[in-house]
Amino acid sequence: MKYVEEFRDPKAANALLAAIERVVGEIGATADAPVRIMEICGGHTHAIFRYGLDRLTPPGLEFIHGPGCPVCVLPMSRIDECVEIAARPDVIFTTFGDAMRVPGTRKSLIQAKAEGADIRMVYSPLDAVDLARRTPDREVVFFGLGFETTTPSTALSIQQAARDGLRNFSVFCNHITVPPPIKALLDDPHMVLDGFVGPGHVSMVIGTTPYEFIARDYGKPLVVAGFEPLDLLHAVLMVLEQIRDGRAEIANQYARVVPRHGNPVSLAAIADVYEPRPSFEWRGLGEIDSSGLKIRDAYREFDAEAKFAVGYGAAHRIVDEPDGCACGAVMSGRIKPTGCAQFGTGCTPERPLGALMVSSEGACAAYWHYRGARNLAAAE
Ligand code: SF4
């Protein structure tokens, strides 16, 4: 397959692995004192485990799994607010399938659907706009969530609804941005990180310049990477070479897709429709300054928070994670998923306690599916 197989070539992978082993040795890192590289994006976490890269690289290199899974970081309070909106008899609540099984304090969206709420899966926010057009007697709400990757498509759906004069379409906006949580992690005195593999899809939209503070203010290297095994190995090697040489730069391994200054059309749509919230709650990580986006007043009639008086404009409350849940510690890289006491016992994909176990980008789901945890549990 063109543009895929060349990024999975075993010979090239072996050459990169040999180079990684050599540079890890030159750094002097060992299994007891490894060099710690965080892959920010949950898509990268899954690629690392799917291709077994964590086992092919030397023990002196440790992958730390970051908070870049938008479904995982959604707090339970926001799921509760989704359920509250969806319970209204006049509402059709639309969402991507990934969010259906994320637990709230009382129920997930799929449980609310089973109890009678009109909740429908869509593949695009424009599907929700189309549904609103076809059902003028119902309020159609789209669950907007995700990082800068999905933020523009939600913005375009709001612009489309405004152009069409739709009065029965709105968005429950949970869009978040990547740089603030990286800053929060770097400000955490307990966090020891040597460098980052930066997200590919997000960077396609925002470019590489928003990461410059990481090298300038914190002296850490970041290399934006693609999602194939050679992309990841190459990016890791680029980070390691910087660490060995005492350099801290923002580099772009994924230049075939990521422009330095991002995608101007997407950035213009984002700037037109949203403004930063003062702060936003992240599951397990708490409130992070300027990390969430809100729909601007110019598009207020499409803001479900304003329309239904829920969320930050109303009585938003912070909800504690369930007892024993270690999602925050996993997302901030303090422990591995298997370090959570609930992993595989109180929390499985069938009966999730935390979102990291059900999201297709969740670190716990990666360990479950690719590390044999599922098979171990089935054998018990
Ligand atoms: S095993 Fe479940 S509760 Fe524990 S960190 Fe993972 S998702 Fe959260």
Side-chain angles (χ1 to χ4, degrees), residues 209-257:
T209 49
Y211 306 120
E212 281 169 2
F213 74 95
I214 298 168
R216 185 188 60 236
D217 302 340
Y218 295 89
K220 306 288 181 193
L222 179 146
V223 177
V224 172
F227 293 84
E228 293 299 325
L230 293 192
D231 287 323
L232 281 160
L233 291 174
H234 187 202
V236 167
L237 178 61
M238 290 168 74
V239 175
L240 289 169
E241 287 173 339
Q242 289 199 46
I243 295 168
R244 178 199 59 193
D245 300 342
R247 290 181 288 124
E249 295 160 9
I250 306 305
N252 185 5
Q253 183 278 335
Y254 205 26
R256 67 184 186 278
V257 171

mmCIF file of all heavy atoms in Angstrom, residues 209-257:
data_model
loop_
_atom_site.group_PDB
_atom_site.id
_atom_site.type_symbol
_atom_site.label_atom_id
_atom_site.label_comp_id
_atom_site.label_asym_id
_atom_site.label_seq_id
_atom_site.Cartn_x
_atom_site.Cartn_y
_atom_site.Cartn_z
ATOM 1 N N THR A 209 4.824 25.934 15.983
ATOM 2 C CA THR A 209 5.244 27.108 16.759
ATOM 3 C C THR A 209 4.631 27.181 18.174
ATOM 4 O O THR A 209 5.305 27.667 19.092
ATOM 5 C CB THR A 209 4.963 28.417 15.988
ATOM 6 O OG1 THR A 209 3.620 28.378 15.519
ATOM 7 C CG2 THR A 209 5.892 28.572 14.806
ATOM 8 N N PRO A 210 3.378 26.693 18.404
ATOM 9 C CA PRO A 210 2.840 26.783 19.779
ATOM 10 C C PRO A 210 3.626 25.976 20.812
ATOM 11 O O PRO A 210 3.402 26.131 22.008
ATOM 12 C CB PRO A 210 1.409 26.236 19.642
ATOM 13 C CG PRO A 210 1.056 26.436 18.212
ATOM 14 C CD PRO A 210 2.340 26.228 17.461
ATOM 15 N N TYR A 211 4.529 25.096 20.362
ATOM 16 C CA TYR A 211 5.310 24.299 21.316
ATOM 17 C C TYR A 211 6.631 24.976 21.700
ATOM 18 O O TYR A 211 7.375 24.432 22.509
ATOM 19 C CB TYR A 211 5.643 22.925 20.730
ATOM 20 C CG TYR A 211 4.458 22.136 20.235
ATOM 21 C CD1 TYR A 211 4.365 21.745 18.905
ATOM 22 C CD2 TYR A 211 3.428 21.773 21.098
ATOM 23 C CE1 TYR A 211 3.278 21.021 18.439
ATOM 24 C CE2 TYR A 211 2.329 21.050 20.636
ATOM 25 C CZ TYR A 211 2.267 20.682 19.302
ATOM 26 O OH TYR A 211 1.185 19.969 18.850
ATOM 27 N N GLU A 212 6.931 26.121 21.099
ATOM 28 C CA GLU A 212 8.281 26.669 21.273
ATOM 29 C C GLU A 212 8.639 26.963 22.729
ATOM 30 O O GLU A 212 9.803 26.899 23.115
ATOM 31 C CB GLU A 212 8.462 27.891 20.367
ATOM 32 C CG GLU A 212 8.730 27.436 18.926
ATOM 33 C CD GLU A 212 8.680 28.533 17.891
ATOM 34 O OE1 GLU A 212 8.461 29.695 18.274
ATOM 35 O OE2 GLU A 212 8.857 28.212 16.706
ATOM 36 N N PHE A 213 7.617 27.257 23.554
ATOM 37 C CA PHE A 213 7.899 27.540 24.971
ATOM 38 C C PHE A 213 8.544 26.338 25.666
ATOM 39 O O PHE A 213 9.279 26.495 26.645
ATOM 40 C CB PHE A 213 6.614 27.962 25.700
ATOM 41 C CG PHE A 213 5.662 26.817 25.975
ATOM 42 C CD1 PHE A 213 5.676 26.151 27.196
ATOM 43 C CD2 PHE A 213 4.758 26.395 25.014
ATOM 44 C CE1 PHE A 213 4.809 25.094 27.457
ATOM 45 C CE2 PHE A 213 3.883 25.338 25.258
ATOM 46 C CZ PHE A 213 3.906 24.680 26.476
ATOM 47 N N ILE A 214 8.268 25.127 25.154
ATOM 48 C CA ILE A 214 8.780 23.919 25.819
ATOM 49 C C ILE A 214 10.310 23.884 25.741
ATOM 50 O O ILE A 214 10.996 23.569 26.721
ATOM 51 C CB ILE A 214 8.171 22.655 25.163
ATOM 52 C CG1 ILE A 214 6.649 22.666 25.337
ATOM 53 C CG2 ILE A 214 8.783 21.385 25.724
ATOM 54 C CD1 ILE A 214 5.920 21.640 24.494
ATOM 55 N N ALA A 215 10.832 24.228 24.584
ATOM 56 C CA ALA A 215 12.294 24.268 24.426
ATOM 57 C C ALA A 215 12.877 25.536 25.063
ATOM 58 O O ALA A 215 13.863 25.473 25.790
ATOM 59 C CB ALA A 215 12.639 24.220 22.941
ATOM 60 N N ARG A 216 12.194 26.663 24.819
ATOM 61 C CA ARG A 216 12.739 27.955 25.262
ATOM 62 C C ARG A 216 12.696 28.094 26.788
ATOM 63 O O ARG A 216 13.693 28.451 27.420
ATOM 64 C CB ARG A 216 11.919 29.081 24.612
ATOM 65 C CG ARG A 216 12.447 30.487 24.873
ATOM 66 C CD ARG A 216 11.461 31.524 24.357
ATOM 67 N NE ARG A 216 10.162 31.408 24.995
ATOM 68 C CZ ARG A 216 9.006 31.245 24.342
ATOM 69 N NH1 ARG A 216 8.978 31.220 23.031
ATOM 70 N NH2 ARG A 216 7.865 31.126 25.016
ATOM 71 N N ASP A 217 11.536 27.786 27.401
ATOM 72 C CA ASP A 217 11.372 28.058 28.833
ATOM 73 C C ASP A 217 11.712 26.864 29.727
ATOM 74 O O ASP A 217 12.020 27.040 30.902
ATOM 75 C CB ASP A 217 9.922 28.484 29.133
ATOM 76 C CG ASP A 217 9.520 29.717 28.324
ATOM 77 O OD1 ASP A 217 10.434 30.435 27.869
ATOM 78 O OD2 ASP A 217 8.313 29.945 28.153
ATOM 79 N N TYR A 218 11.626 25.655 29.178
ATOM 80 C CA TYR A 218 11.832 24.463 30.012
ATOM 81 C C TYR A 218 13.041 23.634 29.580
ATOM 82 O O TYR A 218 13.388 22.663 30.254
ATOM 83 C CB TYR A 218 10.577 23.586 30.014
ATOM 84 C CG TYR A 218 9.386 24.251 30.671
ATOM 85 C CD1 TYR A 218 8.516 25.033 29.922
ATOM 86 C CD2 TYR A 218 9.161 24.124 32.037
ATOM 87 C CE1 TYR A 218 7.430 25.661 30.525
ATOM 88 C CE2 TYR A 218 8.077 24.743 32.643
ATOM 89 C CZ TYR A 218 7.213 25.518 31.887
ATOM 90 O OH TYR A 218 6.139 26.131 32.496
ATOM 91 N N GLY A 219 13.655 23.997 28.460
ATOM 92 C CA GLY A 219 14.866 23.293 28.013
ATOM 93 C C GLY A 219 14.642 21.839 27.636
ATOM 94 O O GLY A 219 15.538 21.006 27.784
ATOM 95 N N LYS A 220 13.424 21.511 27.141
ATOM 96 C CA LYS A 220 13.123 20.128 26.744
ATOM 97 C C LYS A 220 12.890 20.061 25.232
ATOM 98 O O LYS A 220 12.229 20.934 24.666
ATOM 99 C CB LYS A 220 11.854 19.616 27.449
ATOM 100 C CG LYS A 220 11.870 19.747 28.958
ATOM 101 C CD LYS A 220 12.813 18.769 29.597
ATOM 102 C CE LYS A 220 12.785 18.912 31.113
ATOM 103 N NZ LYS A 220 13.879 18.215 31.773
ATOM 104 N N PRO A 221 13.375 18.999 24.596
ATOM 105 C CA PRO A 221 13.104 18.836 23.159
ATOM 106 C C PRO A 221 11.735 18.229 22.906
ATOM 107 O O PRO A 221 11.225 17.451 23.727
ATOM 108 C CB PRO A 221 14.208 17.870 22.710
ATOM 109 C CG PRO A 221 14.571 17.092 23.929
ATOM 110 C CD PRO A 221 14.284 17.981 25.122
ATOM 111 N N LEU A 222 11.153 18.595 21.778
ATOM 112 C CA LEU A 222 9.893 17.971 21.325
ATOM 113 C C LEU A 222 10.011 17.732 19.827
ATOM 114 O O LEU A 222 10.454 18.612 19.083
ATOM 115 C CB LEU A 222 8.705 18.875 21.635
ATOM 116 C CG LEU A 222 7.316 18.363 21.186
ATOM 117 C CD1 LEU A 222 6.216 18.798 22.174
ATOM 118 C CD2 LEU A 222 6.938 18.842 19.773
ATOM 119 N N VAL A 223 9.626 16.539 19.392
ATOM 120 C CA VAL A 223 9.625 16.212 17.966
ATOM 121 C C VAL A 223 8.220 15.740 17.587
ATOM 122 O O VAL A 223 7.725 14.751 18.129
ATOM 123 C CB VAL A 223 10.674 15.124 17.633
ATOM 124 C CG1 VAL A 223 10.598 14.760 16.147
ATOM 125 C CG2 VAL A 223 12.079 15.597 17.995
ATOM 126 N N VAL A 224 7.568 16.464 16.699
ATOM 127 C CA VAL A 224 6.243 16.067 16.209
ATOM 128 C C VAL A 224 6.403 14.837 15.320
ATOM 129 O O VAL A 224 7.303 14.784 14.474
ATOM 130 C CB VAL A 224 5.603 17.223 15.406
ATOM 131 C CG1 VAL A 224 4.315 16.757 14.724
ATOM 132 C CG2 VAL A 224 5.322 18.410 16.322
ATOM 133 N N ALA A 225 5.523 13.841 15.532
ATOM 134 C CA ALA A 225 5.699 12.558 14.834
ATOM 135 C C ALA A 225 4.418 12.096 14.150
ATOM 136 O O ALA A 225 3.308 12.432 14.576
ATOM 137 C CB ALA A 225 6.125 11.488 15.848
ATOM 138 N N GLY A 226 4.605 11.278 13.112
ATOM 139 C CA GLY A 226 3.488 10.577 12.473
ATOM 140 C C GLY A 226 3.157 9.307 13.243
ATOM 141 O O GLY A 226 3.683 9.067 14.345
ATOM 142 N N PHE A 227 2.311 8.472 12.670
ATOM 143 C CA PHE A 227 1.710 7.374 13.433
ATOM 144 C C PHE A 227 2.151 5.980 12.992
ATOM 145 O O PHE A 227 1.704 4.994 13.550
ATOM 146 C CB PHE A 227 0.188 7.494 13.376
ATOM 147 C CG PHE A 227 -0.296 8.720 14.103
ATOM 148 C CD1 PHE A 227 -0.323 9.947 13.470
ATOM 149 C CD2 PHE A 227 -0.655 8.647 15.432
ATOM 150 C CE1 PHE A 227 -0.718 11.092 14.146
ATOM 151 C CE2 PHE A 227 -1.057 9.777 16.119
ATOM 152 C CZ PHE A 227 -1.081 11.009 15.471
ATOM 153 N N GLU A 228 3.015 5.917 12.000
ATOM 154 C CA GLU A 228 3.518 4.616 11.569
ATOM 155 C C GLU A 228 4.760 4.268 12.403
ATOM 156 O O GLU A 228 5.402 5.164 12.961
ATOM 157 C CB GLU A 228 3.839 4.655 10.071
ATOM 158 C CG GLU A 228 2.609 4.828 9.189
ATOM 159 C CD GLU A 228 1.612 3.686 9.352
ATOM 160 O OE1 GLU A 228 2.050 2.530 9.551
ATOM 161 O OE2 GLU A 228 0.397 3.952 9.297
ATOM 162 N N PRO A 229 5.121 2.977 12.448
ATOM 163 C CA PRO A 229 6.254 2.606 13.326
ATOM 164 C C PRO A 229 7.552 3.338 12.987
ATOM 165 O O PRO A 229 8.278 3.752 13.899
ATOM 166 C CB PRO A 229 6.388 1.093 13.130
ATOM 167 C CG PRO A 229 5.383 0.696 12.126
ATOM 168 C CD PRO A 229 4.439 1.817 11.896
ATOM 169 N N LEU A 230 7.836 3.518 11.697
ATOM 170 C CA LEU A 230 9.084 4.226 11.372
ATOM 171 C C LEU A 230 9.013 5.690 11.771
ATOM 172 O O LEU A 230 10.018 6.288 12.172
ATOM 173 C CB LEU A 230 9.398 4.117 9.872
ATOM 174 C CG LEU A 230 9.740 2.726 9.331
ATOM 175 C CD1 LEU A 230 10.316 2.813 7.924
ATOM 176 C CD2 LEU A 230 10.722 1.993 10.236
ATOM 177 N N ASP A 231 7.824 6.289 11.653
ATOM 178 C CA ASP A 231 7.655 7.673 12.120
ATOM 179 C C ASP A 231 8.050 7.777 13.585
ATOM 180 O O ASP A 231 8.821 8.659 13.993
ATOM 181 C CB ASP A 231 6.186 8.101 12.016
ATOM 182 C CG ASP A 231 5.725 8.359 10.595
ATOM 183 O OD1 ASP A 231 6.518 8.881 9.803
ATOM 184 O OD2 ASP A 231 4.560 8.028 10.288
ATOM 185 N N LEU A 232 7.489 6.872 14.391
ATOM 186 C CA LEU A 232 7.713 6.957 15.837
ATOM 187 C C LEU A 232 9.164 6.675 16.198
ATOM 188 O O LEU A 232 9.757 7.384 17.025
ATOM 189 C CB LEU A 232 6.767 5.999 16.567
ATOM 190 C CG LEU A 232 5.351 6.568 16.691
ATOM 191 C CD1 LEU A 232 4.343 5.480 16.963
ATOM 192 C CD2 LEU A 232 5.307 7.609 17.812
ATOM 193 N N LEU A 233 9.747 5.655 15.567
ATOM 194 C CA LEU A 233 11.148 5.344 15.883
ATOM 195 C C LEU A 233 12.054 6.500 15.476
ATOM 196 O O LEU A 233 12.991 6.863 16.200
ATOM 197 C CB LEU A 233 11.571 4.051 15.163
ATOM 198 C CG LEU A 233 10.903 2.766 15.693
ATOM 199 C CD1 LEU A 233 11.287 1.575 14.816
ATOM 200 C CD2 LEU A 233 11.298 2.510 17.146
ATOM 201 N N HIS A 234 11.765 7.080 14.315
ATOM 202 C CA HIS A 234 12.584 8.206 13.846
ATOM 203 C C HIS A 234 12.460 9.396 14.800
ATOM 204 O O HIS A 234 13.458 10.038 15.164
ATOM 205 C CB HIS A 234 12.141 8.582 12.427
ATOM 206 C CG HIS A 234 13.009 9.603 11.770
ATOM 207 N ND1 HIS A 234 12.586 10.396 10.734
ATOM 208 C CD2 HIS A 234 14.289 9.991 12.020
ATOM 209 C CE1 HIS A 234 13.560 11.209 10.382
ATOM 210 N NE2 HIS A 234 14.607 10.990 11.138
ATOM 211 N N ALA A 235 11.214 9.687 15.225
ATOM 212 C CA ALA A 235 11.009 10.821 16.142
ATOM 213 C C ALA A 235 11.718 10.585 17.472
ATOM 214 O O ALA A 235 12.346 11.499 18.029
ATOM 215 C CB ALA A 235 9.515 11.039 16.368
ATOM 216 N N VAL A 236 11.626 9.358 17.988
ATOM 217 C CA VAL A 236 12.302 9.044 19.260
ATOM 218 C C VAL A 236 13.808 9.238 19.102
ATOM 219 O O VAL A 236 14.476 9.824 19.973
ATOM 220 C CB VAL A 236 11.971 7.594 19.693
ATOM 221 C CG1 VAL A 236 12.894 7.125 20.809
ATOM 222 C CG2 VAL A 236 10.517 7.509 20.161
ATOM 223 N N LEU A 237 14.347 8.776 17.989
ATOM 224 C CA LEU A 237 15.787 8.960 17.747
ATOM 225 C C LEU A 237 16.141 10.454 17.714
ATOM 226 O O LEU A 237 17.153 10.871 18.298
ATOM 227 C CB LEU A 237 16.180 8.281 16.427
ATOM 228 C CG LEU A 237 17.643 8.423 16.019
ATOM 229 C CD1 LEU A 237 18.578 7.790 17.055
ATOM 230 C CD2 LEU A 237 17.892 7.779 14.638
ATOM 231 N N MET A 238 15.286 11.247 17.060
ATOM 232 C CA MET A 238 15.560 12.698 16.987
ATOM 233 C C MET A 238 15.552 13.336 18.380
ATOM 234 O O MET A 238 16.352 14.224 18.686
ATOM 235 C CB MET A 238 14.522 13.374 16.075
ATOM 236 C CG MET A 238 14.692 13.006 14.592
ATOM 237 S SD MET A 238 13.256 13.517 13.585
ATOM 238 C CE MET A 238 13.484 15.294 13.503
ATOM 239 N N VAL A 239 14.618 12.888 19.244
ATOM 240 C CA VAL A 239 14.582 13.410 20.622
ATOM 241 C C VAL A 239 15.858 12.990 21.361
ATOM 242 O O VAL A 239 16.520 13.808 22.025
ATOM 243 C CB VAL A 239 13.335 12.905 21.382
ATOM 244 C CG1 VAL A 239 13.379 13.351 22.851
ATOM 245 C CG2 VAL A 239 12.054 13.400 20.733
ATOM 246 N N LEU A 240 16.209 11.716 21.232
ATOM 247 C CA LEU A 240 17.391 11.191 21.944
ATOM 248 C C LEU A 240 18.664 11.910 21.517
ATOM 249 O O LEU A 240 19.529 12.224 22.349
ATOM 250 C CB LEU A 240 17.527 9.688 21.676
ATOM 251 C CG LEU A 240 16.485 8.792 22.350
ATOM 252 C CD1 LEU A 240 16.555 7.374 21.792
ATOM 253 C CD2 LEU A 240 16.671 8.779 23.865
ATOM 254 N N GLU A 241 18.794 12.167 20.228
ATOM 255 C CA GLU A 241 20.011 12.856 19.748
ATOM 256 C C GLU A 241 20.114 14.248 20.356
ATOM 257 O O GLU A 241 21.202 14.707 20.720
ATOM 258 C CB GLU A 241 20.003 12.919 18.219
ATOM 259 C CG GLU A 241 20.296 11.560 17.582
ATOM 260 C CD GLU A 241 20.131 11.541 16.070
ATOM 261 O OE1 GLU A 241 19.426 12.425 15.529
ATOM 262 O OE2 GLU A 241 20.686 10.636 15.436
ATOM 263 N N GLN A 242 18.966 14.929 20.487
ATOM 264 C CA GLN A 242 18.998 16.251 21.125
ATOM 265 C C GLN A 242 19.436 16.143 22.581
ATOM 266 O O GLN A 242 20.241 16.948 23.071
ATOM 267 C CB GLN A 242 17.614 16.888 21.059
ATOM 268 C CG GLN A 242 17.193 17.338 19.661
ATOM 269 C CD GLN A 242 16.061 18.355 19.727
ATOM 270 O OE1 GLN A 242 16.113 19.292 20.525
ATOM 271 N NE2 GLN A 242 15.043 18.177 18.903
ATOM 272 N N ILE A 243 18.883 15.135 23.281
ATOM 273 C CA ILE A 243 19.242 14.963 24.707
ATOM 274 C C ILE A 243 20.738 14.682 24.818
ATOM 275 O O ILE A 243 21.443 15.273 25.649
ATOM 276 C CB ILE A 243 18.404 13.827 25.332
ATOM 277 C CG1 ILE A 243 16.921 14.219 25.358
ATOM 278 C CG2 ILE A 243 18.899 13.495 26.746
ATOM 279 C CD1 ILE A 243 15.971 13.083 25.682
ATOM 280 N N ARG A 244 21.239 13.785 23.970
ATOM 281 C CA ARG A 244 22.677 13.453 24.005
ATOM 282 C C ARG A 244 23.538 14.693 23.746
ATOM 283 O O ARG A 244 24.566 14.903 24.404
ATOM 284 C CB ARG A 244 22.978 12.393 22.935
ATOM 285 C CG ARG A 244 24.449 11.993 22.845
ATOM 286 C CD ARG A 244 24.762 11.326 21.529
ATOM 287 N NE ARG A 244 24.460 12.200 20.397
ATOM 288 C CZ ARG A 244 24.407 11.809 19.122
ATOM 289 N NH1 ARG A 244 24.603 10.537 18.825
ATOM 290 N NH2 ARG A 244 24.129 12.677 18.155
ATOM 291 N N ASP A 245 23.079 15.541 22.817
ATOM 292 C CA ASP A 245 23.881 16.705 22.433
ATOM 293 C C ASP A 245 23.625 17.920 23.323
ATOM 294 O O ASP A 245 24.182 19.001 23.075
ATOM 295 C CB ASP A 245 23.601 17.084 20.980
ATOM 296 C CG ASP A 245 23.933 15.934 20.024
ATOM 297 O OD1 ASP A 245 24.668 15.019 20.438
ATOM 298 O OD2 ASP A 245 23.440 15.960 18.882
ATOM 299 N N GLY A 246 22.736 17.794 24.295
ATOM 300 C CA GLY A 246 22.430 18.929 25.179
ATOM 301 C C GLY A 246 21.644 20.020 24.471
ATOM 302 O O GLY A 246 21.707 21.187 24.851
ATOM 303 N N ARG A 247 20.897 19.651 23.449
ATOM 304 C CA ARG A 247 20.083 20.628 22.718
ATOM 305 C C ARG A 247 18.619 20.495 23.144
ATOM 306 O O ARG A 247 18.187 19.439 23.603
ATOM 307 C CB ARG A 247 20.150 20.367 21.202
ATOM 308 C CG ARG A 247 21.485 20.689 20.577
ATOM 309 C CD ARG A 247 21.445 20.426 19.063
ATOM 310 N NE ARG A 247 21.422 19.010 18.738
ATOM 311 C CZ ARG A 247 20.497 18.413 18.001
ATOM 312 N NH1 ARG A 247 19.475 19.092 17.515
ATOM 313 N NH2 ARG A 247 20.565 17.111 17.751
ATOM 314 N N ALA A 248 17.853 21.574 22.969
ATOM 315 C CA ALA A 248 16.397 21.521 23.189
ATOM 316 C C ALA A 248 15.748 22.335 22.082
ATOM 317 O O ALA A 248 15.810 23.568 22.089
ATOM 318 C CB ALA A 248 16.046 22.084 24.556
ATOM 319 N N GLU A 249 15.178 21.624 21.125
ATOM 320 C CA GLU A 249 14.568 22.290 19.963
ATOM 321 C C GLU A 249 13.208 21.656 19.675
ATOM 322 O O GLU A 249 12.946 20.523 20.068
ATOM 323 C CB GLU A 249 15.473 22.113 18.728
ATOM 324 C CG GLU A 249 16.819 22.814 18.869
ATOM 325 C CD GLU A 249 17.879 22.267 17.905
ATOM 326 O OE1 GLU A 249 17.517 21.459 17.019
ATOM 327 O OE2 GLU A 249 19.035 22.635 18.070
ATOM 328 N N ILE A 250 12.392 22.399 18.952
ATOM 329 C CA ILE A 250 11.119 21.850 18.455
ATOM 330 C C ILE A 250 11.383 21.410 17.016
ATOM 331 O O ILE A 250 11.740 22.227 16.166
ATOM 332 C CB ILE A 250 9.997 22.906 18.514
ATOM 333 C CG1 ILE A 250 9.877 23.479 19.936
ATOM 334 C CG2 ILE A 250 8.684 22.297 18.032
ATOM 335 C CD1 ILE A 250 9.685 22.462 21.036
ATOM 336 N N ALA A 251 11.225 20.124 16.757
ATOM 337 C CA ALA A 251 11.518 19.599 15.420
ATOM 338 C C ALA A 251 10.277 18.894 14.878
ATOM 339 O O ALA A 251 9.336 18.576 15.621
ATOM 340 C CB ALA A 251 12.702 18.640 15.487
ATOM 341 N N ASN A 252 10.303 18.650 13.581
ATOM 342 C CA ASN A 252 9.114 18.117 12.916
ATOM 343 C C ASN A 252 9.484 16.894 12.075
ATOM 344 O O ASN A 252 9.975 17.024 10.955
ATOM 345 C CB ASN A 252 8.506 19.221 12.038
ATOM 346 C CG ASN A 252 7.198 18.812 11.404
ATOM 347 O OD1 ASN A 252 6.668 17.735 11.674
ATOM 348 N ND2 ASN A 252 6.672 19.688 10.550
ATOM 349 N N GLN A 253 9.244 15.714 12.617
ATOM 350 C CA GLN A 253 9.472 14.481 11.853
ATOM 351 C C GLN A 253 8.358 14.258 10.840
ATOM 352 O O GLN A 253 8.542 13.548 9.859
ATOM 353 C CB GLN A 253 9.543 13.294 12.843
ATOM 354 C CG GLN A 253 9.844 11.932 12.222
ATOM 355 C CD GLN A 253 8.617 11.240 11.621
ATOM 356 O OE1 GLN A 253 7.495 11.492 12.022
ATOM 357 N NE2 GLN A 253 8.861 10.367 10.649
ATOM 358 N N TYR A 254 7.194 14.860 11.058
ATOM 359 C CA TYR A 254 5.984 14.590 10.262
ATOM 360 C C TYR A 254 5.757 15.712 9.249
ATOM 361 O O TYR A 254 4.625 16.100 8.982
ATOM 362 C CB TYR A 254 4.808 14.500 11.236
ATOM 363 C CG TYR A 254 3.612 13.694 10.785
ATOM 364 C CD1 TYR A 254 3.700 12.663 9.869
ATOM 365 C CD2 TYR A 254 2.355 13.970 11.337
ATOM 366 C CE1 TYR A 254 2.591 11.925 9.504
ATOM 367 C CE2 TYR A 254 1.232 13.233 10.979
ATOM 368 C CZ TYR A 254 1.361 12.213 10.061
ATOM 369 O OH TYR A 254 0.248 11.480 9.703
ATOM 370 N N ALA A 255 6.854 16.193 8.668
ATOM 371 C CA ALA A 255 6.755 17.366 7.793
ATOM 372 C C ALA A 255 5.950 17.077 6.527
ATOM 373 O O ALA A 255 5.483 18.011 5.874
ATOM 374 C CB ALA A 255 8.158 17.855 7.437
ATOM 375 N N ARG A 256 5.763 15.785 6.194
ATOM 376 C CA ARG A 256 4.955 15.499 5.011
ATOM 377 C C ARG A 256 3.483 15.860 5.238
ATOM 378 O O ARG A 256 2.705 15.935 4.295
ATOM 379 C CB ARG A 256 5.086 14.018 4.622
ATOM 380 C CG ARG A 256 4.496 13.012 5.581
ATOM 381 C CD ARG A 256 4.800 11.587 5.109
ATOM 382 N NE ARG A 256 4.147 10.556 5.903
ATOM 383 C CZ ARG A 256 4.584 10.085 7.066
ATOM 384 N NH1 ARG A 256 5.702 10.568 7.591
ATOM 385 N NH2 ARG A 256 3.933 9.132 7.694
ATOM 386 N N VAL A 257 3.102 16.074 6.478
ATOM 387 C CA VAL A 257 1.707 16.400 6.799
ATOM 388 C C VAL A 257 1.590 17.713 7.592
ATOM 389 O O VAL A 257 0.629 18.458 7.436
ATOM 390 C CB VAL A 257 1.075 15.243 7.628
ATOM 391 C CG1 VAL A 257 -0.283 15.629 8.177
ATOM 392 C CG2 VAL A 257 0.936 13.987 6.758
#
